């Protein structure tokens, strides 16, 4: 959100993206207040699970830690 706000000309083009980010932040804050922990989608997030990213085994390497 900070990048959207500070990059000249980007705020006007990224209104919807920034709003989705703000909505997610608001939902997460409410979840934490109710449950005392991060939302599962935040707590269980892994860089290895990002869309479009090949996992180490998929690249012919070995999974980290194994």
């Amino acid at each position: 959100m900070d990048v959207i706000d500070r990059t000249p000309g980007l705020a006007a083009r990224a209104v919807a993206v920034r709003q989705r980010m703000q909505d997610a932040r608001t939902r997460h804050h409410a979840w934490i207040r109710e449950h005392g922990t991060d939302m599962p989608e935040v707590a269980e997030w892994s860089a290895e699970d990002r869309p479009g990213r090949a996992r180490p085994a998929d690249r012919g390497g070995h999974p980290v830690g194994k």
Side-chain angles (χ1 to χ4, degrees), residues 3-4 7-9 13 15-16 18 21 25-27 32 36 40-41 44-46 48 51 54 58 60 62-63 65-66:
V3 169
I4 291 170
T7 302
R13 296 182 314 187
V15 171
R18 191 185 189 292
M21 290 176 173
R25 186 194 289 182
T26 300
R27 281 191 314 276
I32 290 171
E41 65 197 63
E44 297 167 6
W45 182 87
S46 167
E48 296 299 319
D58 296 338
H62 298 285
K66 295 189 179 189

Side-chain angles (χ1 to χ4, degrees), residues 3-64:
V3 169
I4 291 170
D5 294 342
R6 292 173 183 259
T7 302
L10 186 57
R13 296 182 314 187
V15 171
V17 172
R18 191 185 189 292
Q19 186 61 54
R20 284 195 307 266
M21 290 176 173
Q22 182 61 47
D23 294 346
R25 186 194 289 182
T26 300
R27 281 191 314 276
H28 189 242
H29 181 76
W31 177 277
I32 290 171
R33 292 186 59 82
E34 181 177 343
H35 300 279
T37 62
D38 283 329
M39 295 170 67
E41 65 197 63
V42 174
E44 297 167 6
W45 182 87
S46 167
E48 296 299 319
D49 295 333
R50 287 190 337 218
R53 180 182 166 109
R55 295 174 183 231
D58 296 338
R59 293 189 306 255
H62 298 285
V64 176

